[in-house]
């Protein structure tokens, strides 16, 4: 049985700081407005929804409890509509979409909403002893086996091992900004983006506010490395620096080249997204017109200290299980967590850069962690329709050395 994609919506990405346009709105509200927008656009009965799956990578503070269920209630949907929160780090929202398709294709469900949310300006305060606990759970025995380091350090490690230099990363970042600026100017995001409203009904934000269309190569070249001090400083409770932890696992490198900075890494933003998936029988019975079908979804793991090499692994697995090859894919979305991540994946998969992130990515637009996956799928689908193309593959690296991947096909 096919899992049909009926529609998808997302909030604009607001700057992830106290002065950002979405900071004053609770993340449940952002997610709730996506649910309401889907209902308004498609006219389905919320009480028919078998589940609302929401990806979130924080699961604490304002994102605590079960934000999926709480967002359902905040949307004013019937209490009969359940919610489930999923956590696979950056891939949480994409995992939600893949699991929605699993439920439908298994015949367990007929109508599922899948999405994600992260208000990065409203993270819970750090707790004593926190740091890499987000990855190792303060399990010192595990840390002895896998000395987890912050993702930015992993990105610089990846670049060092792959011979990706600062100039490579900056060129990629500039292209992301230029493509995003063109996409926004020509309305390529308009179908998916909804206006987020304040409690009084006024518009809080109706466009992505993070991009910097005036970015130049000269400006990027002046930015200081973001992770050099962090990587070379010994901080309790770790006995050696993060760079030295990397060298313990990868002794072939003499030093880490810290090439990533604020301009070639993903932006810190607030945002939410949601997609409506249905079985063919439900869609026919209720007059819902499908835009695409979810062909295959996968997750994969790789070495967790370098952490960021699994997108190509997940993409290959997705293609293999779908009986497809890279040549069958018209468009690719590979999340721009860091420039080196996408450059590595493109090299592994031998991709044409002109088919990858054609409307920019998280370097320009921002990466609301749990909310990004469905946003990428929506962006890919909108662009497939604009080009009258057929297939797209979406892949994301995640914390802990994992990745998620999804293939969609227009119907």
């Amino acid at each position: 049985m096919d899992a049909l994609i009926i529609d998808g919506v997302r909030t604009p990405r607001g700057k992830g700081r106290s002065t950002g346009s979405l900071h004053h709105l609770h993340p449940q509200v952002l997610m709730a407005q996506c649910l309401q927008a889907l209902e308004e656009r498609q006219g389905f009965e919320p009480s028919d929804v078998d589940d609302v799956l929401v990806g979130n990578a924080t699961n604490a503070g304002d994102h605590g409890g079960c934000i999926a269920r709480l967002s359902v209630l905040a949307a004013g949907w019937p209490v009969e509509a359940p919610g489930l929160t999923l956590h696979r780090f950056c891939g949480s929202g994409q995992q939600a979409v893949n699991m929605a398709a699993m439920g439908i294709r298994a015949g367990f469900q007929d109508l599922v909403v899948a999405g994600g949310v992260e208000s990065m300006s409203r993270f819970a305060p750090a707790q004593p002893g926190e740091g890499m606990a987000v990855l190792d759970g303060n399990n010192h025995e595990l840390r002895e086996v896998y000395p987890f380091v912050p993702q930015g350090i992993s990105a610089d490690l990846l670049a060092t091992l792959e011979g990706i230099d600062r100039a490579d990363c900056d060129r990629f970042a500039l292209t992301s900004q230029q493509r995003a600026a063109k996409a926004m100017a020509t309305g390529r995001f308009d179908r998916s983006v909804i206006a987020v409203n304040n409690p009084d009904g006024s518009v809080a934000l109706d466009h992505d506010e993070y991009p910097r269309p005036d970015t130049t190569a000269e400006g990027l070249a002046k930015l200081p490395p973001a992770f050099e001090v962090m990587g070379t400083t010994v901080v309790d409770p770790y006995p050696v620096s993060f760079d030295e932890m990397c060298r313990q696992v990868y002794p072939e490198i003499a030093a880490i080249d810290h090439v990533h900075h604020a301009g070639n890494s993903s932006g810190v933003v607030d945002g939410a997204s949601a997609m409506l998936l249905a079985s063919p029988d439900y869609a026919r019975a209720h007059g819902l017109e499908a835009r695409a079908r979810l062909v295959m979804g996968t997750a994969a793991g790789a070495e967790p200290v370098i952490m960021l090499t699994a997108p190509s692994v997940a993409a290959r697995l997705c293609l293999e299980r779908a009986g497809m090859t890279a040549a069958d894919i018209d468009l690719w979305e590979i999340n721009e967590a860091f420039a080196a991540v996408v450059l590595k994946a493109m090299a592994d998969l031998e991709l044409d850069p002109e088919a990858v992130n054609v409307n920019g990515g998280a370097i320009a637009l921002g990466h609301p962690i749990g909310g990004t996956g469905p946003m990428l799928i929506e962006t890919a689908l909108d662009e497939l329709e604009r080009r009258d193309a057929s297939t797209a593959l979406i892949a994301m690296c995640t914390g802990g050395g994992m990745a998620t991947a999804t293939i969609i096909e227009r119907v």
Side-chain angles (χ1 to χ4, degrees):
M1 181 188 300
D2 279 340
L4 302 178
I5 298 174
I6 307 300
D7 206 357
V9 299
R10 71 170 177 90
T11 69
R13 295 168 172 96
K15 292 180 180 179
R17 58 181 68 142
S18 60
T19 56
S21 297
L22 299 181
H23 169 73
H24 64 292
L25 297 172
H26 198 285
Q28 293 173 16
V29 172
L30 300 184
M31 193 69 231
Q33 291 198 26
C34 287
L35 302 181
Q36 292 166 336
L38 276 180
E39 179 189 359
E40 181 178 347
R41 282 167 54 150
Q42 293 299 326
F44 61 91
E45 174 51 58
S47 60
D48 285 350
V49 174
D50 292 303
D51 214 346
V52 176
L53 309 180
V54 174
N56 178 255
T58 307
N59 304 142
D62 291 343
H63 300 81
C66 176
I67 197 168
R69 171 61 171 172
L70 299 176
S71 297
V72 166
L73 300 178
W77 279 16
V79 296
E80 289 78 13
L84 172 66
T85 302
L86 303 173
H87 180 9
R88 199 191 287 277
F89 299 106
C90 298
S92 299
Q94 185 173 18
Q95 185 65 57
V97 177
N98 286 351
M99 290 189 70
M102 292 178 199
I104 291 169
R105 291 184 65 167
F108 282 22
Q109 298 167 318
D110 283 308
L111 188 68
V112 183
V113 174
V117 61
E118 212 87 42
S119 288
M120 297 180 74
S121 68
R122 297 174 69 116
F123 277 166
Q127 301 300 311
E130 197 172 57
M132 294 318 295
V134 68
L135 290 177
D136 62 30
N138 273 329
N139 182 343
H140 301 287
E141 288 78 13
L142 178 61
R143 191 180 299 156
E144 290 296 318
V145 181
Y146 296 110
F148 292 107
V149 299
Q151 257 193 9
I153 307 296
S154 292
D156 288 341
L157 170 63
L158 171 63
T160 302
L161 287 165
E162 295 295 321
I164 299 169
D165 63 21
R166 168 77 178 250
D168 296 328
C169 293
D170 284 359
R171 278 192 295 270
F172 182 84
L174 182 59
T175 298
S176 182
Q177 292 284 357
Q178 293 169 339
R179 289 178 173 179
K182 182 177 180 180
M184 292 181 68
T186 56
R188 296 185 189 180
F189 301 142
D190 289 356
R191 177 160 186 171
S192 291
V193 173
I194 63 170
V196 174
N197 295 321
N198 293 308
D200 64 5
S202 62
V203 173
L205 186 64
D206 62 4
H207 64 280
D208 294 308
E209 70 173 349
Y210 186 81
R212 297 173 174 85
D214 57 349
T215 298
T216 64
E218 294 75 18
L220 290 171
K222 294 177 182 177
L223 295 174
F227 308 105
E228 185 170 24
V229 173
M230 178 192 297
T232 56
T233 303
V234 177
V235 180
D236 287 338
Y238 310 108
V240 296
S241 71
F242 290 131
D243 281 10
E244 181 57 34
M245 291 182 191
C246 292
R247 288 194 294 270
Q248 290 173 358
V249 181
Y250 295 91
E252 63 269 32
I253 60 172
I256 292 180
D257 187 11
H258 290 283
V259 300
H260 289 95
H261 52 73
N264 60 28
S265 307
S266 55
V268 174
V269 294
D270 302 335
S273 55
M275 303 187 72
L276 182 67
L277 288 82
S279 68
D281 288 346
Y282 186 94
R284 280 192 296 269
H286 295 83
L288 298 177
E289 184 175 347
R291 298 173 61 190
R293 68 186 184 99
L294 199 150
V295 176
M296 183 58 62
T298 57
E303 199 281 304
V305 176
I306 200 167
M307 199 182 306
L308 305 171
T309 59
S312 55
V313 180
R316 287 191 181 110
L317 182 61
C318 209
L319 290 166
E320 178 185 342
R321 289 184 173 172
M324 303 171 72
T325 69
D328 297 317
I329 303 300
D330 297 313
L331 293 172
W332 297 75
E333 288 286 334
I334 302 173
N335 188 42
E336 295 177 1
F338 302 92
V341 174
V342 188
L343 292 171
K344 162 71 170 169
M346 288 196 297
D348 286 350
L349 298 165
E350 299 181 333
L351 303 182
D352 178 0
E354 296 303 312
V356 180
N357 300 2
V358 297
N359 292 318
I363 288 173
L365 294 160
H367 174 26
I369 309 186
T372 301
M375 291 183 176
L376 297 183
I377 297 172
E378 292 162 14
T379 296
L381 178 53
D382 290 346
E383 186 64 16
L384 287 176
E385 291 174 341
R386 191 184 76 83
R387 296 182 179 217
D388 194 22
S390 178
T391 59
L393 192 153
I394 301 91
M396 304 180 68
C397 62
T398 90
M402 298 183 289
T404 48
T406 306
I407 298 172
I408 63 171
E409 179 182 44
R410 288 179 60 207
V411 298

